[in-house]
Amino acid sequence: RKSTLRTSGGPRLVGMAAPTTCAICLEATAFARLPCCERADADASTTRFCLDCLRLYCAHAGLPGSGGVARCPKCRGAWVAVVEGRVVRKEALVATCRVCRQVRPIVGPGVCDACRFGLRDPLRYRCDRCGGVQRIPHPMYRTAPRPDAPSSVTWACHVGCADYTRWTLVAEDLARVPLGDRPAAWGDARDEVYRRVREDLRRRGRRHRGDDDAAGGPEAAAAPDGDDDAGGGRGPLAPTGCAIA
């Protein structure tokens, strides 16, 4: 039971923590439940998010093309989206991707979530062996310890090696890597995403949207269930530059 302390400013409760507010807007006190990392007793957590900020977070931190799917801002493992007024976890069937030839969650016509993203925006990479530059339809940067370091997995080189080699992201394409998909080893980008969401809220002149329509800002896209999802493109050395069977 809380005791009361008399002070010059009037009575106050002793031992009662200040009310938790949304970790993004720092105002809301009504929170959405994250299905991946919050149990029924999530009220005890000090890191919570309101539904409106989660919707905008998914828009800013997600990958292009899925209509609002992004990594959970709390556990950074699962992929979530705001659907019909609640946060849901996105799952997929598991099969062999026709691009990277790895067994992964399939979210498109025979392709995994990572390759679907890569096919929509193939970034340029430099071969760690021959130095040639090639567009690769797979987010090879996900296994790089730094933006300027080679990936830990391989992909077919069609520039000068005709073999599977490691790749480093071309510096000019770094800005095209979504903040919400940058490896944790590069540093936590969530603060930058939070800042963009707050700017978005200020531009709107209000914190709550009042409806459940699609959020403004960049779209988000489907993505894999973990950070170690770069496959290695183990299919035949296709002349197009992709390992497609």
Side-chain angles (χ1 to χ4, degrees):
R1 193 172 67 181
K2 308 300 179 184
S3 59
T4 302
L5 177 66
R6 294 282 176 178
T7 66
S8 58
R12 66 180 178 88
L13 293 178
V14 176
M16 179 175 289
T20 300
T21 59
C22 171
I24 298 179
C25 68
L26 307 178
E27 296 179 13
T29 55
F31 309 113
R33 191 179 75 84
L34 296 169
C36 50
C37 58
E38 290 185 350
R39 302 184 301 274
D41 60 350
D43 290 344
S45 174
T46 57
T47 303
R48 306 293 304 279
F49 304 92
C50 70
L51 188 67
D52 294 306
C53 284
L54 282 173
R55 183 187 291 109
L56 291 174
Y57 177 89
C58 288
H60 283 279
L63 307 177
S66 74
V69 180
R71 288 192 189 277
C72 169
K74 190 170 183 179
C75 68
R76 291 176 57 85
W79 290 82
V80 298
V82 177
V83 178
E84 297 181 352
R86 64 191 184 93
V87 185
V88 298
R89 184 170 183 168
K90 291 295 184 178
E91 306 287 354
L93 297 176
V94 176
T96 300
C97 174
R98 66 180 177 87
V99 176
C100 67
R101 308 301 300 167
Q102 301 298 303
V103 177
R104 305 197 180 285
I106 301 299
V107 296
V111 298
C112 68
D113 42 14
C115 286
R116 184 176 74 165
F117 164 62
L119 286 166
R120 285 173 171 164
D121 187 22
L123 302 182
R124 295 173 297 167
Y125 296 85
R126 190 176 303 280
C127 177
D128 197 40
R129 187 184 302 174
C130 70
V133 174
Q134 175 178 313
R135 289 189 183 275
I136 297 180
H138 191 96
M140 303 294 285
Y141 58 80
R142 287 178 177 168
T143 64
R146 303 185 313 277
D148 60 349
S151 60
S152 64
V153 298
T154 60
W155 196 270
C157 175
H158 300 283
V159 184
C161 299
D163 195 5
Y164 291 96
T165 59
R166 303 185 189 282
W167 299 82
T168 301
L169 181 67
V170 171
E172 289 75 13
D173 282 6
L174 175 59
R176 294 166 59 187
V177 177
L179 289 173
D181 195 47
R182 297 189 178 190
W186 296 9
D188 195 340
R190 285 176 292 183
D191 286 343
E192 173 62 17
V193 178
Y194 294 175
R195 184 189 66 78
R196 294 186 183 185
V197 169
R198 292 179 190 127
E199 287 183 355
D200 199 351
L201 292 169
R202 282 194 292 270
R203 283 196 299 269
R204 293 165 186 260
R206 59 188 179 189
R207 181 172 54 77
H208 290 99
R209 293 176 54 84
D211 53 39
D212 195 34
D213 58 348
E219 289 183 308
D225 288 334
D227 285 327
D228 56 343
D229 49 2
R234 285 296 178 183
L237 294 174
T240 60
C242 311
I244 302 177

